[in-house]
Amino acid sequence: MMIIRPIQEHEIEQLYKLAEKTGVGFTSLIPNHEILEQKIQASVQAFEQADLKEPTNESYLFVMEDTETGELVGTSGLLGAVGLDEPFYSYHLGNLVHSSRELSVHNIMPTLVLNNDYTGFSELCTLFLDEGYRHSKNGQLLSKCRFMFLAQFPERFTEKVFAEMRGVCDENGRSPLWESLGRHFFSIDFKKADEMTSLGGKQFIAELMPNNPVYVSLLSDEAKDVLGKVHEKTAPARRLLEQEGFRFENYVDIFDGGPTIEARVQDIRAVRNSRLAIVNIGQSKSAQEGEFYVVSNLKLKDFRCILIQRTNVPGSSITLTEEEARGLCVENNDTVRLVELSSRR
C-alpha cells in the first residue's frame, strides 16, 4: 500500500536519495544534506503547531511510503505563505503599446516584467515521484493529497494558491531562456544560478536583474518558444493541476520560463467536492473494483492519506478494510475525508 504522511526527522538519508534523482531545475529538492535537514525540521515544526490560525511561512513536506518495503518513493509539499522572509520573484508576461499617428504605427510589444506579485500567497511545491513508481495512479495520489490537507486546514493557507512548474532545460542543464537573458546579467550558468536560489541566496536577483520591462522580441527564438512551457517530465503534474482547476495567468519563472499556475482554494475540484464520512471497519464487497477515491484522516501531526477503490460509496459512511484503516490511523466510528480521484465529467 502507498501511504502519504508527513516526513519524519530520521528520514534524511531516504530524502537525500530522492533528491539525487530530481535533476537540474528542481530547486525545492536538491541533494544537499544541510538544506534537506532544514526542510525536514521546518516541516516537523509546522505539523506540530496545532494552534495556528493564519498562514505564515510554515513548510509542510509530505512523503509517499511504500508500506511493503518501508521506502520513501515520493514527495509533495505546501508552503503557508511565500516571500515573507526573502523576496519571491517571477516574470509577468504583459504588453507595451508603441504608437505614432504621424507614422501610422501601432505596435503591441510583449514584455517580461519582474515582480513580487505572489508574495504572501500559499504555494504547492516539491512534487516528485521515483520513476519506478510512476504507475497505478501514484502520481495523482501524491499530488492530490495536498488538497485534502487544504480542505481540512483552510486557516493555514491563503484563499489563492499557486504552483511554479519546472521549465524547459536539456539533459545538460541548459535553459534557453537563461542563455538568452539571465546569463547577460549574471555571467554564471543556469545550474549555478539554480543552486544559489535553492540555498536561499535570492537577493542577487534584485541586485542584478533589470527592473525595466524586457522586450520579448529581443530574446532568441528558442527562448521565446519556452516561455510558459514545462519540462517534459513536469507535463503530467501540470495536467493534474489543470484538471483540478488551476490556470496559467501569464506568470513565468525568471530563470527557465516555466509557467506558474494558480487557483482559488474553494474552486479546486478535490477541495470543493470532498466530504466527511464515518468509518466502518470490515470487508467491503466492492474493494478493488469501481471508482478510485482519495481518503484522508482529519489529523494534523499524524495526517495520513491513501487511495482506495470502491463500486459505491454512500454519502455518510465508508467501509474500510483493516489494512486501509491501519494505514489511515483510524478506528471504527472515526471520521475521514474523501473525494473521487478524478472528475466524473
Side-chain angles (χ1 to χ4, degrees), residues 291-302:
E291 190 164 6
F292 287 92
Y293 293 84
V294 181
V295 185
S296 69
N297 64 21
L298 309 187
K299 301 175 183 180
L300 176 62
K301 184 177 179 179
D302 295 318

Side-chain angles (χ1 to χ4, degrees), residues 236-256:
R238 179 177 185 173
R239 286 195 297 270
L240 285 178
L241 293 180
E242 289 178 335
Q243 289 166 5
E244 291 292 329
F246 282 73
R247 295 292 178 263
F248 176 54
E249 298 292 348
N250 289 333
Y251 287 88
V252 300
D253 182 82
I254 66 169
F255 289 166
D256 59 23

Side-chain angles (χ1 to χ4, degrees), residues 64 132 164 181 184 206 215 240 263 320-321:
M64 173 177 278
E164 272 194 325
L181 178 58
H184 295 292
Y215 287 87
L240 285 178
L320 299 176
T321 66

